Amino acid sequence: MPDHTVSRHAYRKPSAGNTTTPGLSSCTAFTLIEAPGEQEVNTTASRQLRRGSDFLTAARYMVRHHPRAGTTTLRLAAVFAARMHRSQHGHIAFNLAATVDELGVSRRTVLAHARYLRELGLIAWVEHGSKRNALRTRSGNSWTPGNGYRGTATIYAPLAPPLWDQAQGHRIRGTGYRARLIGYTDKGRAQAVAAARARKPRARSRPPARCTPSVVVTSAPSRLQVGSGEKKNTGRARTQRRARGLPAPFTSDECRQGIALAEQLQREVWWLYDTCSRRIAYALRPLIAAGWTAAQLAAEVSAWGVPAHLRDPAAYLHHELHRRQHLGELPPTTPPARDLSLDDGTRYEAMLRDRARSAPAWQRYARQIRPALRDELVRRRRRLRETTAPVYRPILREPEEVFLASLPADTWTDAPTPREIYAARARGEHPSRGWVLPLSDEEWLQHLREHAEAARACDRLRQIWQTLPDAL
């Protein structure tokens, strides 16, 4: 890491014009990008970066060209580099609160060093953060106050400044954010080789790998070698497969020869070298059983087109072999299927006999399952009736208005309800007619006297009316 203290004191910013570092050649002159309009993704002169290691290397080189950038700037760049893997484009969501807690500095310091990175051309704005509710913008007319609030985040794009590309000897095609690295100059190639050799002792400290990973074929757990145990192929299994018209399985010697043939094929075909030789031998077993040699297999497989970023070469071999056999590009290695169109009707008659021999499912249910289910249902119902006492639930057999109209006129309002009366009748009991007032109640006694006098008066009038025609 360079001594930023020395470079900070050696830097002097002119009052106007280009901002350069004294003591450097004219090719390393650099102008700080102070205009906000030039710090956007669409207007920046720096190219896009997707790898955090490249961004850190560029930051370590460019930090010496800023008068105030230093160790805190590199720490902020390291925080940004650790977040680049979260986006396929390498973009960074600038969480200010989380960054302040991670660096242990003030909010103002983080914002200041983020400005230094923008002025050096190391980051550019993809989206400006604001207090606008992103949830409301995303929901549109369907947004309600209960959806909550989330502010719009600031998103940065890590960049490679042109000055760093020039110092590293990069050959760039295009300009601006969409520029791409296409190669190295002679000086850049020498620097890259020296950097690789400097990293080589650290790579030796790691456990040595079995083979060098390929540029196209990625490593996958499916390429691990199969265990040393072999499946035993008995003579009975081979006889059964021959009886069914299937090819006999390989013996142990044939498997060993197929694996040796696959290892020879791996040395001839470059995209098969890190694949399990047992899986290759299994995928090419039809051709090996047909008598193909290693030279013939290599010539055939080398002529096949390999898709980009092939993940499982053994599965590709298996699929491509069957596809080419189906199209007729390879000779068939499996026994021909039986032609069913030449059947004389024996298969159909055998199918009818088998169908008649086995009764339909509903008949098997009616004969075997339904009687047992019915018996079990009867037993459960009988047990339920024996364990539970009957509960009488009276119901109204006539409208309530009709029932109330049939009650005596002297029935009080606190008389039993119709359901209680029906329940009493069902039990053979006399329904209660309400409360009986005590005899000491003067009003009730006066009512009875008046009622008795009225009854006697009516009887007298009835007698007079009966004797009146005789008198007339």
Side-chain angles (χ1 to χ4, degrees), residues 76 94 96 99-100 103 105-114:
L76 180 60
F94 184 39
L96 182 57
T99 306
V100 168
L103 294 180
V105 295
S106 64
R107 178 188 179 97
R108 181 176 180 180
T109 303
V110 173
L111 293 176
H113 287 274

Side-chain angles (χ1 to χ4, degrees), residues 361-409:
W362 69 271
Q363 292 183 1
R364 295 197 302 271
Y365 163 75
R367 296 175 184 175
Q368 303 174 8
I369 304 177
R370 187 168 61 186
L373 288 178
R374 288 185 174 180
D375 296 342
E376 181 65 22
L377 182 60
V378 170
R379 286 194 298 271
R380 292 194 178 187
R381 287 178 176 175
R382 186 183 300 112
R383 186 168 57 253
L384 184 63
R385 286 195 298 268
E386 293 175 354
T387 55
T388 57
V391 179
Y392 179 78
R393 295 182 180 180
I395 59 174
L396 292 177
R397 291 169 288 181
E398 57 188 5
E400 187 175 359
E401 293 80 5
V402 177
F403 177 79
L404 293 176
S406 65
L407 294 178

Side-chain angles (χ1 to χ4, degrees), residues 300-323:
E300 178 65 28
V301 173
S302 299
W304 296 354
V306 183
H309 302 286
L310 182 62
R311 299 186 62 87
D312 196 342
Y316 174 71
L317 284 176
H318 185 79
H319 167 75
E320 191 69 12
L321 177 62
H322 285 274
R323 187 185 70 84

Side-chain angles (χ1 to χ4, degrees), residues 429-446:
E429 301 174 357
H430 183 71
S432 176
R433 291 299 183 88
W435 293 345
V436 178
L437 297 178
L439 297 178
S440 59
D441 192 343
E442 296 297 335
E443 294 182 0
W444 172 247
L445 295 177
Q446 182 65 27

